[in-house]
Structures are given as structure tokens and as C-alpha cells.
């Protein structure tokens, strides 16, 4: 096979991702390269972020409970529910 034909086949194979096994290896290699770029948070950061989320959820839950209670009371007065 001529050298130019080999180059043409190799270029076509690279454009389509090559054979199945080669595509998996390439994908794995690219995933590893991307994972090396990730800046992972420290344990302290994770604990702090988790605390912020839990406090926020607690505050929003309490506020929604208050709104629900007030809405229920207002509808009870307006519609005369509960006799």
C-alpha cells in the first residue's frame, strides 16, 4: 500500500474515532487529563459548604412553614372553615 493511502486511512480513522477499543482508550485518556485539571475542595471547605447548605435549607423551611400557617389562618377566617 502506498504511503499516501496509509496516511489517508489513518486520517479517516482518526476523524471517526478509530476502532472501538481505540475510542475507549482515547476517551479514558481524555477523562484522566480533564480530572487532573479539577481543583478539588479541601475537607474544611466541604464541611463549611455543607453547613451553609443545611442552615439555608432550615431557614427556608421555617419561612415556608410560617407562610403556610399564615395562609391557612387567612383562608380559615375568609372562608369560615373549621367552624
Amino acid at each position: 500500500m502506498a504511503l499516501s493511502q496509509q496516511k489517508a486511512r489513518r486520517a479517516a480513522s482518526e476523524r471517526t474515532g478509530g476502532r472501538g477499543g481505540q475510542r475507549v482508550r482515547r476517551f479514558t485518556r481524555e477523562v484522566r487529563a480533564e480530572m487532573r485539571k479539577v481543583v478539588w475542595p479541601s475537607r474544611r471547605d466541604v464541611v463549611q459548604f455543607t453547613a451553609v447548605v443545611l442552615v439555608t435549607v432550615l431557614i427556608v423551611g421555617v419561612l415556608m412553614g410560617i407562610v403556610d400557617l399564615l395562609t391557612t389562618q387567612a383562608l380559615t377566617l375568609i372562608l369560615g372553615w373549621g367552624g
Side-chain angles (χ1 to χ4, degrees):
M1 189 180 310
L3 186 60
S4 61
Q5 288 177 335
Q6 288 177 346
K7 285 183 179 179
R9 281 191 173 184
R10 191 175 303 130
S13 177
E14 288 173 2
R15 278 195 303 270
T16 60
R19 294 190 178 110
Q22 290 174 344
R23 289 173 31 189
V24 170
R25 283 192 294 272
R26 180 178 173 201
F27 174 77
T28 304
R29 203 171 45 246
E30 290 176 3
V31 167
R32 285 183 181 166
E34 290 299 319
M35 293 301 285
R36 285 187 200 109
K37 296 177 187 177
V38 174
V39 178
W40 297 100
S42 67
R43 181 176 180 86
R44 182 175 176 233
D45 288 340
V46 171
V47 170
Q48 287 178 341
F49 297 151
T50 302
V52 168
V53 169
L54 292 175
V55 169
T56 304
V57 167
L58 181 67
I59 291 170
V60 171
V62 168
L63 291 175
M64 287 179 66
I66 291 170
V67 169
D68 180 53
L69 181 65
L70 294 175
T71 304
T72 302
Q73 292 297 321
L75 286 173
T76 300
L77 287 173
I78 293 170
L79 300 175
W81 290 341

